[in-house]
Amino acid sequence: YFSQTQGYRHKVIPYAKEVVAALGKESGKFTVEECADCTKWSADYLAPYDTIVSFGSGELPLSEENKKALLDFVRGGKGFVAIHSATYMCPRSRWPGYAEMIGAVFVNHPWHQEVRIIVEDRKHPATAHLGEAFEIRDEIYQFAQWSRQKTHVLLSLDNASVDVKKKQVRRKDLDFGIAWCHPYGKGRVFCTALG
């Protein structure tokens, strides 16, 4: 569970770790260790792990070796789960490899309100327990370089539940992915903008 942040830190980061750890304990399939220092990332450091669950964000002090280790980790057959602000990791440095892996680049959050979420895939293990749609109050992100042609969309925003004419809305196609997954090399990526 990667929790390092630079700049704004979401208050739910420790709670999210507890939820992930509880899921592992209940299923008996995994345990959780926390890392709050991306400078530790190397092939050797990451080797014992199967998946990184990240709520990290901001301009982190990642070296080229750290970046390569993360991308190689996933490309080599491991997993990466991005929660909410993990889509905002190293945004100003424009780390294209990370953006490609995640499938999106955070732009802003035009809405922080009650919204309706459409469940686009009701058979996927991550969404099978959900109905056709649900309502939630959250900070809703908008992304650049996100395209449903490049990923498998699990959840999307019901545009009827928000003002798509707000000044901050930049997506001309008005297609707002909320959760998605896709292969990356031999590995897998899951991303949720909810958080």
Side-chain angles (χ1 to χ4, degrees), residues 82-120:
I83 302 174
H84 195 57
S85 61
T87 59
Y88 187 67
M89 199 161 80
C90 299
R92 288 184 196 88
S93 64
R94 298 184 183 162
W95 179 15
Y98 185 76
E100 178 188 340
M101 180 182 76
I102 292 295
V105 174
F106 168 85
V107 175
N108 62 11
H109 39 78
W111 309 283
H112 194 161
Q113 65 181 65
E114 183 98 5
V115 298
R116 186 170 187 267
I117 303 295
I118 299 167
V119 181
E120 293 204 14

PDB file of all heavy atoms in Angstrom, residues 82-120:
ATOM      1  N   ALA A  82      -4.694   1.909  -8.753  1.00  0.00           N
ATOM      2  CA  ALA A  82      -4.616   3.351  -8.514  1.00  0.00           C
ATOM      3  C   ALA A  82      -5.928   3.818  -7.900  1.00  0.00           C
ATOM      4  O   ALA A  82      -6.998   3.630  -8.490  1.00  0.00           O
ATOM      5  CB  ALA A  82      -4.362   4.090  -9.816  1.00  0.00           C
ATOM      6  N   ILE A  83      -5.840   4.401  -6.710  1.00  0.00           N
ATOM      7  CA  ILE A  83      -7.019   4.940  -6.042  1.00  0.00           C
ATOM      8  C   ILE A  83      -6.973   6.461  -6.113  1.00  0.00           C
ATOM      9  O   ILE A  83      -5.995   7.072  -5.676  1.00  0.00           O
ATOM     10  CB  ILE A  83      -7.089   4.498  -4.568  1.00  0.00           C
ATOM     11  CG1 ILE A  83      -7.108   2.968  -4.455  1.00  0.00           C
ATOM     12  CG2 ILE A  83      -8.325   5.095  -3.889  1.00  0.00           C
ATOM     13  CD1 ILE A  83      -7.027   2.467  -3.024  1.00  0.00           C
ATOM     14  N   HIS A  84      -8.023   7.042  -6.677  1.00  0.00           N
ATOM     15  CA  HIS A  84      -8.275   8.479  -6.669  1.00  0.00           C
ATOM     16  C   HIS A  84      -7.031   9.300  -7.038  1.00  0.00           C
ATOM     17  O   HIS A  84      -6.672   9.410  -8.195  1.00  0.00           O
ATOM     18  CB  HIS A  84      -8.848   8.872  -5.307  1.00  0.00           C
ATOM     19  CG  HIS A  84      -9.488  10.219  -5.251  1.00  0.00           C
ATOM     20  ND1 HIS A  84     -10.526  10.583  -6.066  1.00  0.00           N
ATOM     21  CD2 HIS A  84      -9.250  11.291  -4.459  1.00  0.00           C
ATOM     22  CE1 HIS A  84     -10.913  11.810  -5.782  1.00  0.00           C
ATOM     23  NE2 HIS A  84     -10.149  12.282  -4.807  1.00  0.00           N
ATOM     24  N   SER A  85      -6.354   9.851  -6.040  1.00  0.00           N
ATOM     25  CA  SER A  85      -5.255  10.789  -6.304  1.00  0.00           C
ATOM     26  C   SER A  85      -4.006  10.136  -6.882  1.00  0.00           C
ATOM     27  O   SER A  85      -3.077  10.834  -7.275  1.00  0.00           O
ATOM     28  CB  SER A  85      -4.902  11.568  -5.036  1.00  0.00           C
ATOM     29  OG  SER A  85      -4.472  10.691  -4.011  1.00  0.00           O
ATOM     30  N   ALA A  86      -3.987   8.815  -6.965  1.00  0.00           N
ATOM     31  CA  ALA A  86      -2.841   8.156  -7.613  1.00  0.00           C
ATOM     32  C   ALA A  86      -2.764   8.530  -9.085  1.00  0.00           C
ATOM     33  O   ALA A  86      -1.714   8.402  -9.712  1.00  0.00           O
ATOM     34  CB  ALA A  86      -2.931   6.642  -7.454  1.00  0.00           C
ATOM     35  N   THR A  87      -3.857   9.033  -9.636  1.00  0.00           N
ATOM     36  CA  THR A  87      -3.834   9.514 -11.024  1.00  0.00           C
ATOM     37  C   THR A  87      -3.147  10.870 -11.124  1.00  0.00           C
ATOM     38  O   THR A  87      -2.938  11.385 -12.221  1.00  0.00           O
ATOM     39  CB  THR A  87      -5.264   9.638 -11.588  1.00  0.00           C
ATOM     40  OG1 THR A  87      -6.009  10.541 -10.770  1.00  0.00           O
ATOM     41  CG2 THR A  87      -5.956   8.288 -11.634  1.00  0.00           C
ATOM     42  N   TYR A  88      -2.810  11.436  -9.962  1.00  0.00           N
ATOM     43  CA  TYR A  88      -2.159  12.751  -9.904  1.00  0.00           C
ATOM     44  C   TYR A  88      -0.715  12.622  -9.415  1.00  0.00           C
ATOM     45  O   TYR A  88      -0.168  13.493  -8.801  1.00  0.00           O
ATOM     46  CB  TYR A  88      -2.972  13.652  -8.960  1.00  0.00           C
ATOM     47  CG  TYR A  88      -2.520  15.084  -8.916  1.00  0.00           C
ATOM     48  CD1 TYR A  88      -2.655  15.916 -10.015  1.00  0.00           C
ATOM     49  CD2 TYR A  88      -1.957  15.615  -7.759  1.00  0.00           C
ATOM     50  CE1 TYR A  88      -2.236  17.229  -9.975  1.00  0.00           C
ATOM     51  CE2 TYR A  88      -1.540  16.938  -7.707  1.00  0.00           C
ATOM     52  CZ  TYR A  88      -1.683  17.740  -8.813  1.00  0.00           C
ATOM     53  OH  TYR A  88      -1.271  19.037  -8.774  1.00  0.00           O
ATOM     54  N   MET A  89      -0.093  11.488  -9.697  1.00  0.00           N
ATOM     55  CA  MET A  89       1.290  11.277  -9.259  1.00  0.00           C
ATOM     56  C   MET A  89       2.246  11.819 -10.320  1.00  0.00           C
ATOM     57  O   MET A  89       2.169  11.430 -11.482  1.00  0.00           O
ATOM     58  CB  MET A  89       1.558   9.787  -9.007  1.00  0.00           C
ATOM     59  CG  MET A  89       2.766   9.550  -8.143  1.00  0.00           C
ATOM     60  SD  MET A  89       2.776   7.907  -7.394  1.00  0.00           S
ATOM     61  CE  MET A  89       3.370   6.904  -8.730  1.00  0.00           C
ATOM     62  N   CYS A  90       3.098  12.721  -9.913  1.00  0.00           N
ATOM     63  CA  CYS A  90       4.087  13.362 -10.796  1.00  0.00           C
ATOM     64  C   CYS A  90       3.434  14.046 -11.996  1.00  0.00           C
ATOM     65  O   CYS A  90       3.888  13.897 -13.131  1.00  0.00           O
ATOM     66  CB  CYS A  90       5.135  12.359 -11.256  1.00  0.00           C
ATOM     67  SG  CYS A  90       6.050  11.653  -9.889  1.00  0.00           S
ATOM     68  N   PRO A  91       2.382  14.836 -11.771  1.00  0.00           N
ATOM     69  CA  PRO A  91       1.686  15.449 -12.906  1.00  0.00           C
ATOM     70  C   PRO A  91       2.500  16.491 -13.641  1.00  0.00           C
ATOM     71  O   PRO A  91       2.459  16.581 -14.857  1.00  0.00           O
ATOM     72  CB  PRO A  91       0.453  16.081 -12.259  1.00  0.00           C
ATOM     73  CG  PRO A  91       0.867  16.333 -10.846  1.00  0.00           C
ATOM     74  CD  PRO A  91       1.818  15.224 -10.498  1.00  0.00           C
ATOM     75  N   ARG A  92       3.254  17.299 -12.925  1.00  0.00           N
ATOM     76  CA  ARG A  92       3.996  18.369 -13.592  1.00  0.00           C
ATOM     77  C   ARG A  92       5.228  17.851 -14.329  1.00  0.00           C
ATOM     78  O   ARG A  92       5.677  18.436 -15.287  1.00  0.00           O
ATOM     79  CB  ARG A  92       4.381  19.442 -12.569  1.00  0.00           C
ATOM     80  CG  ARG A  92       3.175  20.233 -12.124  1.00  0.00           C
ATOM     81  CD  ARG A  92       3.563  21.361 -11.193  1.00  0.00           C
ATOM     82  NE  ARG A  92       2.374  21.843 -10.507  1.00  0.00           N
ATOM     83  CZ  ARG A  92       1.922  21.347  -9.372  1.00  0.00           C
ATOM     84  NH1 ARG A  92       2.558  20.372  -8.781  1.00  0.00           N
ATOM     85  NH2 ARG A  92       0.843  21.830  -8.822  1.00  0.00           N
ATOM     86  N   SER A  93       5.757  16.765 -13.834  1.00  0.00           N
ATOM     87  CA  SER A  93       6.939  16.217 -14.505  1.00  0.00           C
ATOM     88  C   SER A  93       6.551  15.495 -15.785  1.00  0.00           C
ATOM     89  O   SER A  93       7.398  15.097 -16.562  1.00  0.00           O
ATOM     90  CB  SER A  93       7.692  15.266 -13.572  1.00  0.00           C
ATOM     91  OG  SER A  93       6.876  14.152 -13.259  1.00  0.00           O
ATOM     92  N   ARG A  94       5.245  15.307 -15.961  1.00  0.00           N
ATOM     93  CA  ARG A  94       4.745  14.661 -17.178  1.00  0.00           C
ATOM     94  C   ARG A  94       5.472  13.356 -17.456  1.00  0.00           C
ATOM     95  O   ARG A  94       6.127  13.196 -18.482  1.00  0.00           O
ATOM     96  CB  ARG A  94       4.830  15.609 -18.362  1.00  0.00           C
ATOM     97  CG  ARG A  94       3.962  16.816 -18.141  1.00  0.00           C
ATOM     98  CD  ARG A  94       3.951  17.706 -19.334  1.00  0.00           C
ATOM     99  NE  ARG A  94       3.151  18.890 -19.019  1.00  0.00           N
ATOM    100  CZ  ARG A  94       3.199  19.993 -19.691  1.00  0.00           C
ATOM    101  NH1 ARG A  94       3.972  20.098 -20.724  1.00  0.00           N
ATOM    102  NH2 ARG A  94       2.457  21.009 -19.337  1.00  0.00           N
ATOM    103  N   TRP A  95       5.319  12.456 -16.537  1.00  0.00           N
ATOM    104  CA  TRP A  95       5.917  11.133 -16.668  1.00  0.00           C
ATOM    105  C   TRP A  95       5.055  10.321 -17.635  1.00  0.00           C
ATOM    106  O   TRP A  95       4.058   9.729 -17.240  1.00  0.00           O
ATOM    107  CB  TRP A  95       5.998  10.508 -15.293  1.00  0.00           C
ATOM    108  CG  TRP A  95       6.566   9.133 -15.211  1.00  0.00           C
ATOM    109  CD1 TRP A  95       7.273   8.474 -16.164  1.00  0.00           C
ATOM    110  CD2 TRP A  95       6.464   8.247 -14.101  1.00  0.00           C
ATOM    111  NE1 TRP A  95       7.621   7.238 -15.728  1.00  0.00           N
ATOM    112  CE2 TRP A  95       7.137   7.075 -14.464  1.00  0.00           C
ATOM    113  CE3 TRP A  95       5.869   8.347 -12.848  1.00  0.00           C
ATOM    114  CZ2 TRP A  95       7.232   5.984 -13.610  1.00  0.00           C
ATOM    115  CZ3 TRP A  95       5.961   7.269 -12.011  1.00  0.00           C
ATOM    116  CH2 TRP A  95       6.649   6.103 -12.367  1.00  0.00           C
ATOM    117  N   PRO A  96       5.398  10.308 -18.929  1.00  0.00           N
ATOM    118  CA  PRO A  96       4.533   9.669 -19.917  1.00  0.00           C
ATOM    119  C   PRO A  96       4.344   8.176 -19.694  1.00  0.00           C
ATOM    120  O   PRO A  96       3.285   7.631 -19.980  1.00  0.00           O
ATOM    121  CB  PRO A  96       5.207   9.955 -21.258  1.00  0.00           C
ATOM    122  CG  PRO A  96       6.538  10.524 -20.960  1.00  0.00           C
ATOM    123  CD  PRO A  96       6.567  10.936 -19.522  1.00  0.00           C
ATOM    124  N   GLY A  97       5.350   7.499 -19.182  1.00  0.00           N
ATOM    125  CA  GLY A  97       5.219   6.065 -18.929  1.00  0.00           C
ATOM    126  C   GLY A  97       4.150   5.763 -17.902  1.00  0.00           C
ATOM    127  O   GLY A  97       3.384   4.798 -18.048  1.00  0.00           O
ATOM    128  N   TYR A  98       4.073   6.577 -16.871  1.00  0.00           N
ATOM    129  CA  TYR A  98       3.055   6.387 -15.835  1.00  0.00           C
ATOM    130  C   TYR A  98       1.668   6.677 -16.393  1.00  0.00           C
ATOM    131  O   TYR A  98       0.722   5.923 -16.157  1.00  0.00           O
ATOM    132  CB  TYR A  98       3.353   7.278 -14.630  1.00  0.00           C
ATOM    133  CG  TYR A  98       2.428   7.069 -13.456  1.00  0.00           C
ATOM    134  CD1 TYR A  98       2.567   5.961 -12.628  1.00  0.00           C
ATOM    135  CD2 TYR A  98       1.415   7.979 -13.183  1.00  0.00           C
ATOM    136  CE1 TYR A  98       1.718   5.763 -11.552  1.00  0.00           C
ATOM    137  CE2 TYR A  98       0.555   7.789 -12.103  1.00  0.00           C
ATOM    138  CZ  TYR A  98       0.712   6.680 -11.299  1.00  0.00           C
ATOM    139  OH  TYR A  98      -0.134   6.495 -10.229  1.00  0.00           O
ATOM    140  N   ALA A  99       1.556   7.763 -17.154  1.00  0.00           N
ATOM    141  CA  ALA A  99       0.268   8.116 -17.760  1.00  0.00           C
ATOM    142  C   ALA A  99      -0.209   7.008 -18.687  1.00  0.00           C
ATOM    143  O   ALA A  99      -1.393   6.657 -18.700  1.00  0.00           O
ATOM    144  CB  ALA A  99       0.392   9.434 -18.519  1.00  0.00           C
ATOM    145  N   GLU A 100       0.709   6.423 -19.437  1.00  0.00           N
ATOM    146  CA  GLU A 100       0.357   5.323 -20.328  1.00  0.00           C
ATOM    147  C   GLU A 100      -0.116   4.116 -19.523  1.00  0.00           C
ATOM    148  O   GLU A 100      -1.103   3.467 -19.867  1.00  0.00           O
ATOM    149  CB  GLU A 100       1.563   4.941 -21.191  1.00  0.00           C
ATOM    150  CG  GLU A 100       1.290   3.766 -22.109  1.00  0.00           C
ATOM    151  CD  GLU A 100       2.544   3.270 -22.817  1.00  0.00           C
ATOM    152  OE1 GLU A 100       3.526   4.022 -22.906  1.00  0.00           O
ATOM    153  OE2 GLU A 100       2.531   2.116 -23.255  1.00  0.00           O
ATOM    154  N   MET A 101       0.603   3.808 -18.437  1.00  0.00           N
ATOM    155  CA  MET A 101       0.227   2.656 -17.619  1.00  0.00           C
ATOM    156  C   MET A 101      -1.153   2.855 -17.000  1.00  0.00           C
ATOM    157  O   MET A 101      -2.007   1.978 -17.067  1.00  0.00           O
ATOM    158  CB  MET A 101       1.259   2.416 -16.513  1.00  0.00           C
ATOM    159  CG  MET A 101       0.909   1.230 -15.632  1.00  0.00           C
ATOM    160  SD  MET A 101       2.079   0.955 -14.296  1.00  0.00           S
ATOM    161  CE  MET A 101       1.607   2.255 -13.148  1.00  0.00           C
ATOM    162  N   ILE A 102      -1.390   4.025 -16.397  1.00  0.00           N
ATOM    163  CA  ILE A 102      -2.664   4.314 -15.739  1.00  0.00           C
ATOM    164  C   ILE A 102      -3.786   4.461 -16.774  1.00  0.00           C
ATOM    165  O   ILE A 102      -4.927   4.099 -16.530  1.00  0.00           O
ATOM    166  CB  ILE A 102      -2.552   5.620 -14.915  1.00  0.00           C
ATOM    167  CG1 ILE A 102      -1.611   5.408 -13.737  1.00  0.00           C
ATOM    168  CG2 ILE A 102      -3.903   6.095 -14.421  1.00  0.00           C
ATOM    169  CD1 ILE A 102      -2.108   4.421 -12.733  1.00  0.00           C
ATOM    170  N   GLY A 103      -3.451   5.034 -17.913  1.00  0.00           N
ATOM    171  CA  GLY A 103      -4.453   5.260 -18.942  1.00  0.00           C
ATOM    172  C   GLY A 103      -5.117   6.613 -18.851  1.00  0.00           C
ATOM    173  O   GLY A 103      -6.155   6.847 -19.482  1.00  0.00           O
ATOM    174  N   ALA A 104      -4.520   7.537 -18.067  1.00  0.00           N
ATOM    175  CA  ALA A 104      -5.137   8.856 -17.900  1.00  0.00           C
ATOM    176  C   ALA A 104      -4.163   9.820 -17.241  1.00  0.00           C
ATOM    177  O   ALA A 104      -3.203   9.405 -16.594  1.00  0.00           O
ATOM    178  CB  ALA A 104      -6.390   8.748 -17.038  1.00  0.00           C
ATOM    179  N   VAL A 105      -4.460  11.096 -17.406  1.00  0.00           N
ATOM    180  CA  VAL A 105      -3.732  12.162 -16.722  1.00  0.00           C
ATOM    181  C   VAL A 105      -4.770  13.049 -16.033  1.00  0.00           C
ATOM    182  O   VAL A 105      -5.678  13.575 -16.696  1.00  0.00           O
ATOM    183  CB  VAL A 105      -2.888  13.003 -17.701  1.00  0.00           C
ATOM    184  CG1 VAL A 105      -2.255  14.190 -16.995  1.00  0.00           C
ATOM    185  CG2 VAL A 105      -1.824  12.143 -18.368  1.00  0.00           C
ATOM    186  N   PHE A 106      -4.661  13.220 -14.723  1.00  0.00           N
ATOM    187  CA  PHE A 106      -5.575  14.062 -13.969  1.00  0.00           C
ATOM    188  C   PHE A 106      -5.511  15.500 -14.491  1.00  0.00           C
ATOM    189  O   PHE A 106      -4.439  16.037 -14.734  1.00  0.00           O
ATOM    190  CB  PHE A 106      -5.187  14.034 -12.487  1.00  0.00           C
ATOM    191  CG  PHE A 106      -5.874  15.076 -11.654  1.00  0.00           C
ATOM    192  CD1 PHE A 106      -7.132  14.851 -11.124  1.00  0.00           C
ATOM    193  CD2 PHE A 106      -5.267  16.297 -11.394  1.00  0.00           C
ATOM    194  CE1 PHE A 106      -7.772  15.811 -10.355  1.00  0.00           C
ATOM    195  CE2 PHE A 106      -5.885  17.266 -10.626  1.00  0.00           C
ATOM    196  CZ  PHE A 106      -7.145  17.020 -10.101  1.00  0.00           C
ATOM    197  N   VAL A 107      -6.681  16.116 -14.673  1.00  0.00           N
ATOM    198  CA  VAL A 107      -6.760  17.513 -15.094  1.00  0.00           C
ATOM    199  C   VAL A 107      -7.255  18.377 -13.934  1.00  0.00           C
ATOM    200  O   VAL A 107      -6.600  19.313 -13.523  1.00  0.00           O
ATOM    201  CB  VAL A 107      -7.694  17.683 -16.314  1.00  0.00           C
ATOM    202  CG1 VAL A 107      -7.867  19.149 -16.664  1.00  0.00           C
ATOM    203  CG2 VAL A 107      -7.166  16.907 -17.504  1.00  0.00           C
ATOM    204  N   ASN A 108      -8.433  18.032 -13.419  1.00  0.00           N
ATOM    205  CA  ASN A 108      -9.024  18.774 -12.310  1.00  0.00           C
ATOM    206  C   ASN A 108     -10.232  18.005 -11.787  1.00  0.00           C
ATOM    207  O   ASN A 108     -10.536  16.912 -12.265  1.00  0.00           O
ATOM    208  CB  ASN A 108      -9.409  20.205 -12.727  1.00  0.00           C
ATOM    209  CG  ASN A 108     -10.445  20.245 -13.826  1.00  0.00           C
ATOM    210  OD1 ASN A 108     -11.057  19.233 -14.180  1.00  0.00           O
ATOM    211  ND2 ASN A 108     -10.678  21.418 -14.389  1.00  0.00           N
ATOM    212  N   HIS A 109     -10.931  18.595 -10.818  1.00  0.00           N
ATOM    213  CA  HIS A 109     -12.170  17.973 -10.323  1.00  0.00           C
ATOM    214  C   HIS A 109     -13.277  19.022 -10.331  1.00  0.00           C
ATOM    215  O   HIS A 109     -13.448  19.784  -9.395  1.00  0.00           O
ATOM    216  CB  HIS A 109     -11.987  17.345  -8.941  1.00  0.00           C
ATOM    217  CG  HIS A 109     -11.143  18.116  -7.995  1.00  0.00           C
ATOM    218  ND1 HIS A 109     -11.600  19.227  -7.317  1.00  0.00           N
ATOM    219  CD2 HIS A 109      -9.862  17.947  -7.625  1.00  0.00           C
ATOM    220  CE1 HIS A 109     -10.642  19.691  -6.550  1.00  0.00           C
ATOM    221  NE2 HIS A 109      -9.571  18.941  -6.723  1.00  0.00           N
ATOM    222  N   PRO A 110     -14.043  19.045 -11.436  1.00  0.00           N
ATOM    223  CA  PRO A 110     -15.082  20.048 -11.588  1.00  0.00           C
ATOM    224  C   PRO A 110     -16.241  19.903 -10.602  1.00  0.00           C
ATOM    225  O   PRO A 110     -16.957  20.863 -10.355  1.00  0.00           O
ATOM    226  CB  PRO A 110     -15.595  19.843 -13.012  1.00  0.00           C
ATOM    227  CG  PRO A 110     -14.712  18.858 -13.664  1.00  0.00           C
ATOM    228  CD  PRO A 110     -13.924  18.177 -12.602  1.00  0.00           C
ATOM    229  N   TRP A 111     -16.424  18.694 -10.065  1.00  0.00           N
ATOM    230  CA  TRP A 111     -17.577  18.465  -9.197  1.00  0.00           C
ATOM    231  C   TRP A 111     -17.137  17.823  -7.888  1.00  0.00           C
ATOM    232  O   TRP A 111     -16.324  16.911  -7.879  1.00  0.00           O
ATOM    233  CB  TRP A 111     -18.594  17.551  -9.873  1.00  0.00           C
ATOM    234  CG  TRP A 111     -18.961  17.999 -11.251  1.00  0.00           C
ATOM    235  CD1 TRP A 111     -19.796  19.026 -11.589  1.00  0.00           C
ATOM    236  CD2 TRP A 111     -18.494  17.449 -12.488  1.00  0.00           C
ATOM    237  NE1 TRP A 111     -19.882  19.139 -12.953  1.00  0.00           N
ATOM    238  CE2 TRP A 111     -19.090  18.183 -13.528  1.00  0.00           C
ATOM    239  CE3 TRP A 111     -17.646  16.401 -12.826  1.00  0.00           C
ATOM    240  CZ2 TRP A 111     -18.864  17.909 -14.875  1.00  0.00           C
ATOM    241  CZ3 TRP A 111     -17.403  16.124 -14.151  1.00  0.00           C
ATOM    242  CH2 TRP A 111     -18.014  16.880 -15.164  1.00  0.00           C
ATOM    243  N   HIS A 112     -17.697  18.301  -6.795  1.00  0.00           N
ATOM    244  CA  HIS A 112     -17.575  17.667  -5.483  1.00  0.00           C
ATOM    245  C   HIS A 112     -18.977  17.699  -4.902  1.00  0.00           C
ATOM    246  O   HIS A 112     -19.361  18.645  -4.226  1.00  0.00           O
ATOM    247  CB  HIS A 112     -16.589  18.406  -4.592  1.00  0.00           C
ATOM    248  CG  HIS A 112     -16.199  17.606  -3.394  1.00  0.00           C
ATOM    249  ND1 HIS A 112     -15.088  17.877  -2.665  1.00  0.00           N
ATOM    250  CD2 HIS A 112     -16.758  16.515  -2.810  1.00  0.00           C
ATOM    251  CE1 HIS A 112     -14.983  17.011  -1.675  1.00  0.00           C
ATOM    252  NE2 HIS A 112     -15.991  16.182  -1.747  1.00  0.00           N
ATOM    253  N   GLN A 113     -19.726  16.653  -5.204  1.00  0.00           N
ATOM    254  CA  GLN A 113     -21.153  16.657  -4.911  1.00  0.00           C
ATOM    255  C   GLN A 113     -21.698  15.239  -5.004  1.00  0.00           C
ATOM    256  O   GLN A 113     -20.977  14.297  -5.302  1.00  0.00           O
ATOM    257  CB  GLN A 113     -21.878  17.547  -5.927  1.00  0.00           C
ATOM    258  CG  GLN A 113     -21.784  16.979  -7.350  1.00  0.00           C
ATOM    259  CD  GLN A 113     -22.458  17.834  -8.397  1.00  0.00           C
ATOM    260  OE1 GLN A 113     -22.016  18.945  -8.637  1.00  0.00           O
ATOM    261  NE2 GLN A 113     -23.516  17.315  -9.016  1.00  0.00           N
ATOM    262  N   GLU A 114     -22.981  15.114  -4.774  1.00  0.00           N
ATOM    263  CA  GLU A 114     -23.682  13.850  -5.006  1.00  0.00           C
ATOM    264  C   GLU A 114     -23.794  13.660  -6.518  1.00  0.00           C
ATOM    265  O   GLU A 114     -24.214  14.573  -7.238  1.00  0.00           O
ATOM    266  CB  GLU A 114     -25.074  13.914  -4.381  1.00  0.00           C
ATOM    267  CG  GLU A 114     -25.855  12.641  -4.496  1.00  0.00           C
ATOM    268  CD  GLU A 114     -25.792  11.778  -3.245  1.00  0.00           C
ATOM    269  OE1 GLU A 114     -25.217  12.209  -2.230  1.00  0.00           O
ATOM    270  OE2 GLU A 114     -26.319  10.666  -3.290  1.00  0.00           O
ATOM    271  N   VAL A 115     -23.386  12.480  -6.985  1.00  0.00           N
ATOM    272  CA  VAL A 115     -23.443  12.170  -8.414  1.00  0.00           C
ATOM    273  C   VAL A 115     -24.013  10.771  -8.599  1.00  0.00           C
ATOM    274  O   VAL A 115     -24.062   9.976  -7.667  1.00  0.00           O
ATOM    275  CB  VAL A 115     -22.048  12.253  -9.090  1.00  0.00           C
ATOM    276  CG1 VAL A 115     -21.481  13.661  -9.010  1.00  0.00           C
ATOM    277  CG2 VAL A 115     -21.095  11.229  -8.502  1.00  0.00           C
ATOM    278  N   ARG A 116     -24.389  10.494  -9.814  1.00  0.00           N
ATOM    279  CA  ARG A 116     -24.861   9.154 -10.167  1.00  0.00           C
ATOM    280  C   ARG A 116     -23.784   8.488 -11.010  1.00  0.00           C
ATOM    281  O   ARG A 116     -23.277   9.078 -11.966  1.00  0.00           O
ATOM    282  CB  ARG A 116     -26.183   9.228 -10.944  1.00  0.00           C
ATOM    283  CG  ARG A 116     -26.812   7.875 -11.215  1.00  0.00           C
ATOM    284  CD  ARG A 116     -28.229   8.069 -11.768  1.00  0.00           C
ATOM    285  NE  ARG A 116     -28.921   6.803 -11.895  1.00  0.00           N
ATOM    286  CZ  ARG A 116     -28.945   6.064 -13.010  1.00  0.00           C
ATOM    287  NH1 ARG A 116     -28.319   6.484 -14.105  1.00  0.00           N
ATOM    288  NH2 ARG A 116     -29.597   4.915 -13.035  1.00  0.00           N
ATOM    289  N   ILE A 117     -23.443   7.267 -10.631  1.00  0.00           N
ATOM    290  CA  ILE A 117     -22.421   6.493 -11.331  1.00  0.00           C
ATOM    291  C   ILE A 117     -23.095   5.342 -12.071  1.00  0.00           C
ATOM    292  O   ILE A 117     -23.884   4.595 -11.494  1.00  0.00           O
ATOM    293  CB  ILE A 117     -21.376   5.934 -10.332  1.00  0.00           C
ATOM    294  CG1 ILE A 117     -20.732   7.067  -9.517  1.00  0.00           C
ATOM    295  CG2 ILE A 117     -20.343   5.088 -11.059  1.00  0.00           C
ATOM    296  CD1 ILE A 117     -19.904   8.039 -10.315  1.00  0.00           C
ATOM    297  N   ILE A 118     -22.757   5.201 -13.332  1.00  0.00           N
ATOM    298  CA  ILE A 118     -23.285   4.117 -14.158  1.00  0.00           C
ATOM    299  C   ILE A 118     -22.323   2.938 -14.093  1.00  0.00           C
ATOM    300  O   ILE A 118     -21.115   3.101 -14.278  1.00  0.00           O
ATOM    301  CB  ILE A 118     -23.454   4.576 -15.622  1.00  0.00           C
ATOM    302  CG1 ILE A 118     -24.442   5.739 -15.703  1.00  0.00           C
ATOM    303  CG2 ILE A 118     -23.893   3.416 -16.511  1.00  0.00           C
ATOM    304  CD1 ILE A 118     -24.436   6.465 -17.031  1.00  0.00           C
ATOM    305  N   VAL A 119     -22.857   1.766 -13.833  1.00  0.00           N
ATOM    306  CA  VAL A 119     -22.051   0.541 -13.811  1.00  0.00           C
ATOM    307  C   VAL A 119     -22.072  -0.020 -15.231  1.00  0.00           C
ATOM    308  O   VAL A 119     -23.080  -0.561 -15.685  1.00  0.00           O
ATOM    309  CB  VAL A 119     -22.595  -0.477 -12.793  1.00  0.00           C
ATOM    310  CG1 VAL A 119     -21.717  -1.732 -12.781  1.00  0.00           C
ATOM    311  CG2 VAL A 119     -22.672   0.148 -11.406  1.00  0.00           C
ATOM    312  N   GLU A 120     -20.964   0.112 -15.937  1.00  0.00           N
ATOM    313  CA  GLU A 120     -20.913  -0.304 -17.338  1.00  0.00           C
ATOM    314  C   GLU A 120     -20.647  -1.797 -17.508  1.00  0.00           C
ATOM    315  O   GLU A 120     -21.026  -2.377 -18.512  1.00  0.00           O
ATOM    316  CB  GLU A 120     -19.858   0.514 -18.090  1.00  0.00           C
ATOM    317  CG  GLU A 120     -20.237   1.970 -18.198  1.00  0.00           C
ATOM    318  CD  GLU A 120     -19.568   2.667 -19.358  1.00  0.00           C
ATOM    319  OE1 GLU A 120     -19.014   2.005 -20.257  1.00  0.00           O
ATOM    320  OE2 GLU A 120     -19.611   3.907 -19.374  1.00  0.00           O
TER     321      GLU A 120
END
